[in-house]
Amino acid sequence: MKVVRCILFCFILLAACHPEVDDSKQNDVIDEEDIIFSDDGYQIYKENSCINCHGDQLQGASGPSLLDIDLTADEIEAIIVNGVGFMPPQDLDEEDRRALVEWLSAR
Ligand code: HEC
């Protein structure tokens, strides 16, 4: 009797856990592609060579990942204008820079 109850319990656990894990995985991927590839911010990011050093999905390359960065909009803007460490200053016009900062802050 104990064995049967244990098996039942395991089935319920499996049934309860499995769909949840799959769902959240799928949603993550779709969300990320939606946000990143359709936005104007991404176009600015791509056209101003940030993409070369920070990766096509902000995942990082020679530069660090820009996902979930812990910086204020002002700090990001200062980094673009002045550069930081091995990152050279980036020459964007003000409008593009603002839009890019706003977009990056939301990532
Ligand atoms: C030539 C390569 C290169 C280019 C082009 C480049 N970066 Fe960077 N970036 C780096 C490197 C390297 C760092 C890390 C610098 C350090 O801390 O020494 C960095 C750091 C940063 C940081 C700080 C990240 C953190 O967590 O502190 C931000 C924000 C950033 N870059 C944004 C941009 C944006 C926006 C652009 C395009 C306008 C850009 N970068 C273009 C190489 C680059």
Side-chain angles (χ1 to χ4, degrees), residues 48-50 53-54 62-66 69 71 76 79-80 84-88 90 92 100 104:
N48 288 280
S49 67
C50 321
C53 298
H54 293 287
S62 60
S65 164
L66 298 182
I69 41 174
L71 297 168
I76 296 175
I79 286 174
I80 295 174
V84 58
F86 288 107
M87 175 177 157
Q90 302 297 306
L92 275 70
L100 180 58
L104 272 176

Side-chain angles (χ1 to χ4, degrees), residues 6-67:
C6 178
I7 289 171
L8 256 179
F9 181 69
C10 290
F11 267 114
I12 292 167
L13 255 186
L14 272 177
C17 291
H18 249 270
E20 241 175 70
V21 170
D22 285 348
D23 272 354
S24 68
K25 238 191 196 168
Q26 258 179 352
N27 284 345
D28 278 349
V29 172
I30 290 166
D31 281 349
E32 208 162 278
E33 286 188 352
D34 263 6
I35 295 166
I36 289 181
F37 296 113
S38 60
D39 285 2
D40 290 347
Y42 186 74
Q43 294 308 312
I44 300 170
Y45 174 81
K46 198 168 78 178
E47 283 158 15
N48 288 280
S49 67
C50 321
I51 196 170
N52 296 333
C53 298
H54 293 287
D56 63 352
Q57 298 186 52
L58 313 188
Q59 78 277 31
S62 60
S65 164
L66 298 182
L67 292 168

